[in-house]
Amino acid sequence: MNGCEGSVDFQNDSTLIIRQPIFPRDKDIWGYELISNDTPTNVDGGEIISLSDLINVFHGYLSQLSDPSSLKEKRLLLDVPKGIHLQSDNLPEGWKQCVFGLCQTSADSSDCQGFAKSIQSNGGCLVFDDSIEPDFIYGALLENSDIIKISLAGKTPPEIVNIRRKYKGFRGKFLVTGVNSWEAFEGTRALGFSYFQGPFFTIPQVRDEVELPASSVAKLQLLRELGNPDCEMDELAEIIASDVSLSYRILKYINSVFFELKNKIKSIQQAVSLLGLNEVRHWITVVVMSDLDSTPKGEELSYIALQRGRFLSKLTESMKEFEHSSNTMFMLGLFSKLDALLSYPMDKALEDIPLDDGIKDGLCGTLNEFRDWLLMLDAVEIGNWGIANEILGKYGACFTTAATQYMKAASWAAQQLPNMKG
């Protein structure tokens, strides 16, 4: 990874943590795994050597990258790296929310077998990675595991079927990673897998001849009106006032402690006047986007879209002589998941939205500079740091700055989303 001079505000290094959701069969969210481009350090900057430290550090990251109220029933998949002391006593509060994943290097540890038995007997959860090679500890480790993790990467469907058959006597559950399409999701679900991880949920489930529901059409019409440069303050206030949900949320938002107002705002006109035309347009666009899909999958997509928009706007704002405005880059990131939120083709969804033609082309798949930035985001979100760094370097962006802005944007999006809900 490339670095640059100067300190960063979030973590003082180029560590970049990505939150990846894990879905159960009903497409709710069961939990998260945090993947990193580097080994995170302890709170004091030192090396993580104990399981307690590992739990505390990753719980801290997850809390920063999520709305804390949404984490109560969620699990944290924690892959235990080599060199971590596998103690099972004196673990920090909340450790049972963790699902401990053991890889080949951690499984080779001499205290692994005792750790596995202790964790299971105390009500913890252990994940056995299919990539672990059989040895003297293999059987005992498998016996004390609750979940088997199998990756789709580089495997054909018949190979997945054979791997699944290999564990036919296993009484626990199965987690599949690297699920890159809805076809792969449906196929592995049919094979009896219980948990699914991968970017499949960010891909639109477009069905031929299916029309958008009236509620989605209305929201797209509102997005079109918001993008109209001739829309005046009074007209915007009327649009908000005509929607009870929007009216409630803008008053809730502006009266929140974030603004620390001495006197409560009591009218939509007051709210619009205080925030300003551009800020209100910006805010309503985000709210409308977050309303497009209210399922857990949709909430995750809204988080990604909001985080993407904030990240691109702040990163490019920090780049000297970057030719596009931060607002343009925010809209690029925000609209990048519009098709997945609507389950509708991107080109049709954008037909009447007043966006720059270059942005529309990039969103629809044409290779241009805007598409480059979206490909960079895709690479980051699946942990392909090499591709991400290559694209950032092409436009003169510093990776350390990008990592800092990405983490800040993720934290910001997590704080904003509760205010967007009705």
Side-chain angles (χ1 to χ4, degrees):
M1 287 297 173
N2 296 330
C4 67
E5 294 181 3
S7 61
V8 295
D9 297 327
F10 196 90
Q11 191 64 19
N12 294 325
D13 61 22
S14 57
T15 300
L16 202 157
I17 306 287
I18 307 299
R19 187 185 89 171
Q20 291 192 341
I22 301 171
F23 294 86
R25 295 173 64 85
D26 64 1
K27 292 181 272 190
D28 197 345
I29 292 180
W30 174 73
Y32 296 97
E33 180 176 11
L34 301 182
I35 64 169
S36 174
N37 67 318
D38 199 0
T39 303
T41 58
N42 214 328
V43 177
D44 60 5
E47 184 181 357
I48 297 174
I49 58 174
S50 75
L51 191 61
S52 291
D53 285 344
L54 190 71
I55 293 170
N56 285 329
V57 167
F58 277 92
H59 259 308
Y61 273 118
L62 187 59
S63 297
Q64 287 177 322
L65 306 181
S66 310
D67 170 20
S69 65
S70 69
L71 295 177
K72 293 179 181 178
E73 305 299 326
K74 302 295 187 292
R75 309 301 293 268
L76 171 60
L77 177 57
L78 201 60
D79 285 324
V80 182
K82 182 180 181 180
I84 296 295
H85 175 53
L86 295 175
Q87 91 280 10
S88 56
D89 55 338
N90 298 319
L91 294 179
E93 184 180 355
W95 74 268
K96 288 187 179 180
Q97 280 186 276
C98 296
V99 180
F100 300 103
L102 299 178
C103 60
Q104 184 69 53
T105 52
S106 53
D108 287 338
S109 170
S110 59
D111 52 1
C112 180
Q113 185 174 356
F115 169 77
K117 288 182 178 180
S118 178
I119 285 293
Q120 191 179 60
S121 64
N122 284 295
C125 189
L126 198 69
V127 174
F128 177 88
D129 196 316
D130 172 66
S131 65
I132 295 177
E133 297 177 4
D135 59 12
F136 72 97
I137 206 170
Y138 180 91
L141 189 57
L142 180 59
E143 183 181 339
N144 287 286
S145 295
D146 305 277
I147 299 170
I148 293 176
K149 181 168 78 170
I150 298 170
S151 172
L152 293 186
K155 299 182 180 69
T156 64
E159 288 174 332
I160 296 298
V161 171
N162 287 334
I163 292 173
R164 179 67 179 81
R165 189 177 293 139
K166 180 175 74 172
Y167 298 111
K168 64 180 180 180
F170 183 70
R171 294 184 180 181
K173 296 183 177 181
F174 292 84
L175 162 66
V176 61
T177 64
V179 185
N180 294 323
S181 68
W182 284 104
E183 291 79 11
F185 169 78
E186 295 296 348
T188 50
R189 187 165 70 164
L191 287 174
F193 284 84
S194 300
Y195 305 115
F196 311 84
Q197 183 185 41
F200 70 96
F201 74 99
T202 68
I203 299 169
Q205 288 180 283
V206 177
R207 296 177 175 84
D208 294 337
E209 306 298 327
V210 174
E211 293 187 2
L212 283 174
S215 58
S216 294
V217 172
K219 289 182 174 66
L220 283 178
Q221 289 174 342
L222 181 52
L223 288 175
R224 184 174 66 246
E225 291 175 21
L226 289 169
N228 180 4
D230 297 325
C231 182
E232 299 293 339
M233 190 84 78
D234 290 342
E235 186 180 353
L236 190 56
E238 280 184 32
I239 292 172
I240 300 170
S242 66
D243 187 307
V244 175
S245 177
L246 273 181
S247 299
Y248 167 76
R249 279 185 279 180
I250 195 170
L251 290 175
K252 173 185 171 185
Y253 174 67
I254 206 168
N255 283 319
S256 68
V257 292
F258 178 76
F259 289 98
E260 299 180 350
L261 299 175
K262 293 181 179 179
N263 300 310
K264 294 291 185 183
I265 299 297
K266 298 179 181 179
S267 74
I268 299 302
Q269 188 65 51
Q270 269 186 293
V272 173
S273 298
L274 181 63
L275 285 176
L277 187 59
N278 289 333
E279 181 65 23
V280 172
R281 274 180 174 159
H282 184 106
W283 182 87
I284 301 177
T285 301
V286 170
V287 171
V288 172
M289 288 285 292
S290 68
D291 272 355
L292 291 173
D293 184 346
S294 60
T295 67
K297 171 182 74 71
E299 289 191 11
E300 192 69 23
L301 287 169
S302 296
Y303 166 83
I304 292 172
L306 190 55
Q307 187 270 342
R308 281 177 159 215
R310 178 75 170 189
F311 167 59
L312 289 181
S313 68
K314 291 299 181 180
L315 174 63
T316 54
E317 193 176 77
S318 70
M319 294 167 59
K320 293 180 180 178
E321 299 180 1
F322 190 75
E323 62 179 306
H324 302 292
S325 70
S326 59
N327 186 59
T328 293
M329 299 306 289
F330 182 88
M331 298 307 288
L332 174 67
L334 186 68
F335 279 95
S336 63
K337 293 303 172 187
L338 182 61
D339 54 349
L341 283 162
L342 289 169
S343 294
Y344 200 61
M346 182 68 87
D347 57 341
K348 292 184 179 180
L350 293 174
E351 273 180 355
D352 297 318
I353 305 296
L355 286 175
D356 176 87
D357 287 342
I359 292 181
K360 282 190 177 182
D361 289 343
L363 288 168
C364 292
T366 299
L367 292 177
N368 60 16
E369 60 178 317
F370 295 111
R371 190 68 187 172
D372 276 350
W373 288 104
L374 298 178
L375 291 173
M376 182 273 295
L377 290 169
D378 290 341
V380 168
E381 288 160 4
I382 62 172
N384 193 332
W385 316 116
I387 294 295
N389 212 4
E390 182 181 331
I391 297 173
L392 286 167
K394 177 180 176 180
Y395 291 95
C398 165
F399 184 83
T400 301
T401 302
T404 302
Q405 294 298 345
Y406 192 93
M407 297 296 288
K408 285 184 175 182
S411 180
W412 178 84
Q415 293 171 13
Q416 294 301 311
L417 274 180
N419 293 323
M420 305 301 170
K421 298 177 182 177

